């Protein structure tokens, strides 16, 4: 599935900043919509506050993640909608926002089990995670998922997940 058509614009400003505008457009059933929109400023001369950007996604198909996760996860499908603010420097970005995941499914390769969920994924400088999201196995049993990926400004990633199952399939 195509992500859409990208239009990338940048402008060098007199205050030594670069205005950046990335717009992804896609033809849907009801006309053209924008699944991804990034806009803001980059200040290459500054050391600390180099970035001031907003990223918005609207019904973005998440299957674009498949090539990055293929060794661990397959059958990725679903839609993402939300906003993320990006500031700080390239070496130490500040991230803040949330993404709502709808009709999301994925297969954990090691377990060979297909899971589905809908919920909010929160992002900050230390984590990319869920707070009390219900996840379903292939036969409809559910578990409550908490936690996610831990990181330090998108470096030094780790996993911190808690799963509270109720007759839940772990290995198929």
């Amino acid at each position: 599935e195509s992500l859409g058509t990208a239009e990338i614009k940048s402008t060098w400003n007199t205050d030594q900043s670069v205005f950046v505008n990335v717009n992804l457009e896609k033809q849907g059933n009801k006309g053209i919509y924008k699944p991804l929109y990034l806009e803001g400023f980059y200040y290459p001369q500054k050391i600390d506050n180099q970035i001031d950007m907003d990223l918005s996604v609207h019904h973005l198909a998440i299957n674009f993640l498949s090539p990055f996760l293929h060794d661990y996860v397959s059958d990725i499908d679903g839609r993402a909608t939300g906003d993320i603010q990006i500031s700080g420097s390239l070496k130490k970005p500040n991230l803040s926002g949330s993404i709502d995941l709808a009709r999301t499914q994925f297969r954990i390769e090691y377990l060979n089990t297909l899971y589905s969920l809908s919920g909010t994924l929160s992002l900050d400088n230390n984590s990319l995670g869920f707070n009390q999201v219900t996840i379903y196995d292939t036969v409809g049993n559910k578990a409550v998922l908490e936690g996610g990926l831990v990181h330090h400004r998108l470096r030094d990633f780790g996993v911190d997940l808690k799963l509270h199952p109720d007759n839940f399939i772990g290995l198929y």
Side-chain angles (χ1 to χ4, degrees):
E1 178 180 354
S2 169
L3 285 174
T5 302
E7 180 180 59
I8 302 170
K9 296 178 184 176
S10 65
T11 305
W12 181 260
N13 299 313
T14 56
D15 67 351
Q16 305 296 307
S17 68
V18 178
F19 175 73
V20 177
N21 176 275
V22 178
N23 190 17
L24 189 63
E25 289 187 349
K26 184 170 183 168
Q27 179 67 45
N29 294 336
K30 297 182 180 180
I32 294 175
Y33 72 101
K34 297 178 181 182
L36 185 140
Y37 185 78
L38 173 74
E39 185 173 88
F41 292 91
Y42 171 58
Y43 301 91
Q45 306 299 330
K46 292 185 177 182
I47 295 172
D48 291 328
N49 296 312
Q50 294 176 306
I51 308 167
D52 182 12
M53 296 194 185
D54 295 312
L55 172 67
S56 293
V57 293
H58 181 70
H59 297 292
L60 177 67
I62 63 169
N63 58 356
F64 77 91
L65 296 170
S66 293
F68 305 105
L69 302 173
H70 67 86
D71 287 341
Y72 311 102
V73 180
S74 64
D75 299 329
I76 300 172
D77 197 14
R79 300 282 186 239
T81 299
D83 298 300
I84 298 173
Q85 293 73 43
I86 308 161
S87 61
S89 68
L90 293 175
K91 290 184 178 182
K92 291 184 179 179
N94 292 314
L95 306 168
S96 175
S98 63
I99 302 289
D100 292 325
L101 298 174
R103 300 184 315 273
T104 302
Q105 74 169 25
F106 54 92
R107 180 181 308 277
I108 303 291
E109 286 298 308
Y110 179 75
L111 302 175
N112 192 30
T113 306
L114 188 68
Y115 298 105
S116 63
L117 63 85
S118 292
T120 300
L121 185 65
S122 297
L123 175 67
D124 61 32
N125 290 335
N126 300 308
S127 68
L128 174 67
F130 297 102
N131 183 17
Q132 302 278 328
V133 171
T134 301
I135 184 170
Y136 297 90
D137 64 20
T138 55
V139 295
N141 297 321
K142 62 184 177 178
V144 175
L145 177 65
E146 295 179 66
L149 297 177
V150 293
H151 62 88
H152 182 69
R153 298 181 190 257
L154 299 178
R155 288 185 165 77
D156 304 320
F157 280 88
V159 177
D160 182 15
L161 289 173
K162 293 178 185 132
L163 192 66
H164 307 281
D166 183 15
N167 199 25
F168 193 70
I169 296 176
L171 184 61
Y172 198 66

